[in-house]
Amino acid sequence: MRIPPQVSAASIVAIGHFNPLIFGPDWLKDKEIVIGNDFEKLKILIVHPDIVSYELPWGNFQADRNNFTIGTTREPLVRVHDFFVRCFQFLPETPIRAVGINRQVHFETASEAARDRVGDVLAPKDFWGDFVQSGGRRTGGVRSLIMEQSIPKEGRLARTDGKFGHVWAKVEPSSLQDIRYGIFMEVNDHFDLMTPPDRLSNGRAVADLVTEQF
Amino acid sequence: MLAPNMEPESSSGVIGSAAENAMRATTVSMRTRFDDDAIRRWIETDEALRRWTQAERPAGELTVPANGHDLSTSAASVPPPNLGVVRYPSPARELPREVVLQEWEGQVQEVGERVFSARLVDLTRDSKDETEETDLPIEYLSEADARLVIPGAIFRWIIGCRWTNGEKEPFTRVVIRRLPIWTEGEIKAADQEAAELHNALFGNAGERAASPGPN
Amino acid sequence: MPFSEMQASGQPAPDQIEVCVFGPNYGECVVVHLGNGNWVVVDSCLHEGQPAAIAYLRALGLDPARSIRAVIATHWHDDHYKGLSQITANAAAAHIWISSVLTDAEFLRFAMRTKKNKTSVAGHKLDEFLKIIDDICRRRSDGQLTFGYANARTAIFRLDGSVSGHGHPCEIMALSPSHGDVSEFLERIVANTPRARQTKRAVPSPSPNHASVATLISIGPLGIVLGADVENSGRPTAGWEAILGAHNLQPFGPKASLHKASHHGSENAHNRGVWDNLLTANPLAVLTPWRRGARRLPTADGARNILELSQDAFITALDARSRSRRDGRPPGVQRFLREHRGIRLRSLAVPFGAVRFRTRDISSATWNRELFGAACHLSQVIRAQPVR
């Protein structure tokens, strides 16, 4: 059974060494990364040697000297993939040290009791005793739960697919007021691209990685 | 689960940061989560922008909503004159909430005057094969995007419902994908694989051996 | 698909010839019994997820691995022979035949560059073709030379009369591709080969299919022409013109009393010279329908062309007709599609049928014909309403 999320967002974040001015609007248009309606409706928030920031009709882009982020709250989410991959295909030598693919969703549940049941499954309350239950009523519960998938490998953390990095999954009650009894989930699919000794990866590799993993 | 804490400096943020700090202490990984503090930290340390931080931030706009955090990438509303800002940020905009019920990926087959036909892969059902075809009005795209509708173009088509001013209404969206390029590395690797395949089919026989093709 | 109905008649007798045409469903399939349990499969389509040829042979109580002696691929495009790689995997001893032009270095370069596009789900694919090529490479490296590359006049299969079950020798000969077909095919392929820095896109439509392998099956005096996708080219070196020119120089074999019309009975595939020179008078004819968007084959005129020359012409399904796929979707989606009449949504899962011909009377070529599933007489095409 598929439950469509009430809010769905995705972003891709790269950490490395960037020259923000490269990501000027004309460059984005010339490389056909932002074309058509996207280019006509592009809102430039900042263009500065240290940071650029745009608002696209479907998302937001920001790059400073160390961070590159493209995100959206509007389906189809694949647009962040296309934007990111195309950017770094044209910048194959950009030094990159890490990349993360992030997904955030807010689901609605039918009732407070239904939401509580989800929390009870993820974090069984028996161990917590009267910290969370007293006199037959709830006195506490899950505020935030983060699970990490990682295994030690060569002195670093690695994912089960063998790549260095980790996967974080966070679950919390949703704070969006218009989603009743909502549950928020966030997944950070993180790839640590440094290879020892202190060797950075590059745009070419990260474009391939995101194509494979998104 | 606890009811959400609606305070801006909520305990969820504190616990989240504590967990993350604990993580950071045992790992050397860098956070690749979309970090709303990144721009604020940068601004705080940059003397040129210190004056800017004294300006009011536009209110209540979630752009990439992580739970309880305002991840707005909008800059403050009054930029200093020496920063080379090309355009002032837009005023705060309420984005209607959308729920997507159905998504397809399609390939354009033919383009008529008002309608284009396409074959579709049902992504909502996790299909990998084209199982449907459709005729869609070109008017579903903006004028600028309509120019991108050519045979072979790949697009996403979604149907869902959204809430605007408390009213629920259906919506549809057709987006032509800006696919990546074939890189020189991919072309080179493909040509090598093709040459190996040709040799596997025929052996290394003289003039039948394949050579790399045009780039 | 009423395989239970088809199996009621049992397997063909050892001295009985059978030609069975299935389709459409991402392709078409022709299964031929040459005699004495020797089967040949041409192309493939699916039935309930498995190749129709495999399903049919198993329904007859046969083991595909032991029955299939040759598999002929007349296409290179997933849409047209889905499941063929499953057939070759199931029939490891069968000879695989593909068009020679598909082993050309230029085509392989096109295929491998196209394969690098992993970013879109939609679009034409070459997965079946690449699996077949892998199979051929594996056989070659194992020293199992059970494959071949077909050109005009390539002898694809021979069965001696002493083991054919009916005493007549059997031969399958490729009628195409001709030299002109190969040139035109490679020209188009080179023009469509991806280049560095080009935006990725799907494989272009393969029509016309210049790589198509038409065949003449000769069983003693009896002939069967399977037209594949051959069309008129307007030139003597390609298409039907090249085949007829070659036949005029040296006849391919006996005239055929059964003809699978090429290219879904399209008007451009209709060549009077074929009917006059390669076929008997008033032969049996059969074809499968095709649709893509608003285009359908055969057209009414295409059907008329065939019916003027064959009173016994059949089609495996009346039309690549399909129902709108609203059912099974969320109510909001169903409502939206209902209310927006400007959108047409059609399933590609179309009615499926089979036409089966059997004969023991090889000398006079008197065929028994049976229709299964959605199959019907070709005249129904002219009477059918257009599908919206």
Side-chain angles (χ1 to χ4, degrees):
Chain A
M1 179 189 164
R2 184 183 171 269
I3 305 170
Q6 297 297 303
V7 174
S8 184
S11 60
I12 307 178
V13 178
I15 295 177
H17 300 288
F18 309 110
N19 176 2
L21 283 180
I22 279 183
F23 305 108
D26 288 339
W27 183 86
L28 293 174
K29 185 183 182 191
D30 183 56
K31 300 306 179 200
E32 296 186 359
I33 297 165
V34 179
I35 53 175
N37 187 57
D38 289 354
F39 186 77
E40 290 190 359
K41 297 270 167 58
L42 181 72
K43 287 192 166 66
I44 299 169
L45 303 179
I46 312 170
V47 174
H48 183 273
D50 291 328
I51 186 166
V52 295
S53 180
Y54 308 127
E55 196 177 287
L56 293 150
W58 51 266
N60 291 272
F61 169 66
Q62 177 182 299
D64 60 38
R65 291 213 179 266
N66 298 117
N67 299 276
F68 174 108
T69 305
I70 178 70
T72 184
T73 58
R74 285 281 169 264
E75 297 272 12
L77 305 179
V78 75
R79 285 185 278 198
V80 299
H81 159 278
D82 293 348
F83 185 103
F84 184 95
V85 171
R86 222 176 145 97
C87 273
F88 287 105
Q89 284 187 319
F90 286 109
L91 300 169
E93 304 301 331
T94 303
I96 310 262
R97 55 176 66 222
V99 71
I101 301 171
N102 307 294
R103 187 91 168 80
Q104 294 102 8
V105 289
H106 293 254
F107 291 101
E108 193 171 65
T109 61
S111 63
E112 195 171 345
R115 185 175 63 190
D116 285 344
R117 273 199 297 280
V118 175
D120 290 346
V121 167
L122 294 173
K125 301 299 183 298
D126 291 349
F127 176 81
W128 294 93
D130 59 11
F131 185 84
V132 294
Q133 283 188 116
S134 178
R137 68 185 179 111
R138 284 181 179 263
T139 56
V142 173
R143 167 59 60 200
S144 180
L145 177 67
I146 297 179
M147 297 294 288
E148 177 180 286
Q149 183 196 84
S150 63
I151 43 182
K153 180 179 169 184
E154 296 165 25
R156 295 154 73 183
L157 288 182
R159 306 143 50 88
T160 53
D161 58 16
K163 296 180 172 39
F164 289 112
H166 59 254
V167 183
W168 281 349
K170 180 200 275 189
V171 182
E172 292 177 350
S174 171
S175 59
L176 293 182
Q177 292 191 31
D178 58 339
I179 296 180
R180 295 180 320 154
Y181 313 118
I183 295 174
F184 167 73
M185 260 212 80
E186 178 178 26
V187 175
N188 167 231
D189 214 343
H190 172 93
F191 299 88
D192 176 0
L193 301 173
M194 300 284 292
T195 52
D198 273 348
R199 213 173 120 209
L200 281 75
S201 182
N202 59 35
R204 180 184 302 115
V206 88
D208 289 344
L209 177 68
V210 168
T211 297
E212 178 198 323
Q213 297 285 337
F214 188 82
Chain B
M1 275 189 184
L2 294 179
N5 186 331
M6 302 308 295
E7 294 299 316
E9 293 296 324
S10 70
S11 55
S12 71
V14 170
I15 288 171
S17 295
E20 287 150 16
N21 285 334
M23 298 291 175
R24 209 174 278 129
T26 59
T27 71
V28 294
S29 67
M30 281 127 304
R31 291 185 59 213
T32 55
R33 298 173 62 246
F34 185 65
D35 187 351
D36 58 317
D37 289 328
I39 185 170
R40 281 199 284 268
R41 282 198 298 274
W42 181 83
I43 290 171
E44 282 162 10
T45 59
D46 190 318
E47 190 177 347
L49 284 174
R50 204 163 284 153
R51 289 192 303 277
W52 197 0
T53 63
Q54 292 167 4
E56 279 188 21
R57 294 194 58 156
E61 173 184 333
L62 290 179
T63 54
V64 181
N67 196 33
H69 299 290
D70 176 4
L71 296 179
S72 169
T73 56
S74 298
S77 54
V78 181
N82 60 342
L83 271 188
V85 173
V86 176
R87 202 177 299 175
Y88 293 152
S90 59
R93 176 165 55 88
E94 185 65 32
L95 292 175
R97 181 156 62 85
E98 295 179 348
V99 175
V100 172
L101 301 173
Q102 174 66 47
E103 183 174 0
W104 291 273
E105 182 163 284
Q107 186 197 21
V108 177
Q109 302 291 305
E110 288 174 343
V111 184
E113 216 172 284
R114 296 208 311 243
V115 160
F116 68 95
S117 67
R119 286 211 157 175
L120 302 172
V121 178
D122 188 341
L123 299 179
T124 304
R125 290 182 180 174
D126 286 327
S127 181
K128 298 279 184 286
D129 295 316
E130 292 172 344
T131 54
E132 293 168 283
E133 62 179 11
T134 186
D135 297 328
L136 287 173
I138 294 177
E139 67 184 19
Y140 280 4
L141 294 110
S142 67
E143 205 178 304
D145 276 8
R147 292 194 283 271
L148 305 175
V149 180
I150 56 174
I154 303 289
F155 65 94
R156 291 285 174 103
W157 176 30
I158 58 180
I159 297 176
C161 50
R162 67 180 160 209
W163 284 261
T164 311
N165 300 324
E167 294 287 318
K168 182 175 166 183
E169 59 181 17
F171 81 97
T172 191
R173 184 175 295 138
V174 177
V175 172
I176 305 291
R177 282 189 67 182
R178 280 67 157 149
L179 290 179
I181 58 171
W182 271 287
T183 62
E184 277 156 20
E186 282 175 329
I187 295 295
K188 198 171 156 186
D191 287 355
Q192 180 61 33
E193 288 165 27
E196 285 166 8
L197 202 48
H198 193 268
N199 289 335
L201 289 171
F202 294 106
N204 288 320
E207 71 276 10
R208 302 293 311 263
S211 57
N215 208 10
Chain C
M1 185 65 204
F3 284 122
S4 54
E5 205 182 313
M6 295 184 84
Q7 81 188 67
S9 323
Q11 301 171 16
D15 63 341
Q16 196 169 28
I17 312 301
E18 175 181 317
V19 175
C20 195
V21 181
F22 299 93
N25 205 355
Y26 302 105
E28 61 183 28
C29 179
V30 183
V31 176
V32 180
H33 178 247
L34 296 172
N36 213 15
N38 294 285
W39 293 81
V40 172
V41 176
V42 182
D43 291 332
S44 175
C45 60
L46 297 181
H47 172 64
E48 291 175 0
Q50 74 165 324
I54 302 268
Y56 176 60
L57 291 175
R58 286 193 176 137
L60 292 181
L62 295 167
D63 179 3
R66 293 154 71 95
S67 307
I68 301 174
R69 303 294 304 279
V71 177
I72 305 170
T74 76
H75 287 86
W76 54 273
H77 193 269
D78 272 15
D79 259 13
H80 296 284
Y81 63 168
K82 205 110 167 125
L84 194 76
S85 59
Q86 289 181 60
I87 297 176
T88 58
N90 262 277
H95 236 90
I96 304 174
W97 286 91
I98 62 173
S99 182
S100 68
V101 71
L102 301 183
T103 62
D104 189 273
E106 288 293 350
F107 183 76
L108 294 176
R109 190 172 300 130
F110 162 82
M112 300 316 282
R113 288 187 182 187
T114 301
K115 190 182 158 196
K116 293 293 180 196
N117 179 11
K118 295 189 182 82
T119 54
S120 59
V121 182
H124 309 304
K125 300 189 178 62
L126 293 168
D127 294 348
E128 285 287 356
F129 167 74
L130 290 171
K131 283 181 193 162
I132 291 163
I133 288 290
D134 275 348
D135 197 344
I136 291 175
C137 289
R138 199 165 33 249
R139 291 177 184 214
R140 190 170 194 279
S141 72
D142 290 346
Q144 193 191 341
L145 300 180
T146 52
F147 54 88
Y149 313 136
N151 273 318
R153 289 209 190 266
T154 300
I156 285 177
F157 186 76
R158 276 204 182 98
L159 189 65
D160 197 79
S162 61
V163 293
S164 65
H166 42 67
H168 294 281
C170 304
E171 185 179 277
I172 303 179
M173 179 180 293
L175 304 178
S176 62
S178 65
H179 167 73
D181 291 324
V182 168
S183 300
E184 288 182 24
F185 180 79
L186 290 177
E187 261 178 47
R188 279 187 64 225
I189 286 297
V190 167
N192 283 290
T193 295
R195 303 276 189 271
R197 311 210 126 207
Q198 257 181 356
T199 296
K200 283 181 172 162
R201 57 183 153 72
V203 173
S205 169
S207 187
N209 178 13
H210 290 298
S212 169
V213 179
T215 49
L216 169 66
I217 302 172
S218 311
I219 301 160
L222 186 147
I224 302 159
V225 165
L226 304 180
D229 261 359
V230 179
E231 296 183 61
N232 297 319
S233 67
R235 285 174 295 284
T237 55
W240 280 122
E241 292 90 334
I243 292 172
L244 289 170
H247 178 75
N248 284 339
L249 285 176
Q250 186 188 340
F252 286 111
K255 286 198 173 185
S257 54
L258 173 56
H259 175 46
K260 192 187 89 59
S262 62
H263 197 236
H264 309 283
S266 73
E267 289 158 77
N268 194 51
H270 183 70
N271 186 306
R272 189 59 195 255
V274 171
W275 294 79
D276 290 341
N277 293 284
L278 301 184
L279 309 178
T280 60
N282 194 24
L284 288 168
V286 63
L287 54 108
T288 62
W290 174 91
R291 80 180 289 154
R292 186 167 284 273
R295 291 187 289 141
R296 281 159 188 68
L297 293 174
T299 59
D301 284 341
R304 280 192 198 96
N305 286 338
I306 294 170
L307 287 165
E308 279 170 13
L309 298 163
S310 168
Q311 288 173 349
D312 294 310
F314 303 96
I315 189 167
T316 58
L318 186 60
D319 186 2
R321 183 192 296 267
S322 53
R323 287 184 303 282
S324 168
R325 280 286 297 274
R326 293 194 212 122
D327 51 298
R329 297 224 145 96
V333 176
Q334 293 189 36
R335 196 161 41 246
F336 182 92
L337 291 173
R338 234 183 356 254
E339 290 168 6
H340 288 77
R341 296 282 180 188
I343 299 173
R344 304 226 195 290
L345 186 65
R346 295 176 292 268
S347 170
L348 294 178
V350 296
F352 189 80
V355 184
R356 183 167 69 189
F357 306 93
R358 284 181 174 176
T359 184
R360 286 165 111 151
D361 194 350
I362 292 170
S363 302
S364 68
T366 310
W367 293 91
N368 181 41
R369 72 293 305 260
E370 299 166 278
L371 306 179
F372 301 95
C376 62
H377 196 270
L378 188 60
S379 57
Q380 298 288 321
V381 167
I382 297 166
R383 286 196 274 275
Q385 295 296 316
V387 173
R388 292 175 56 77

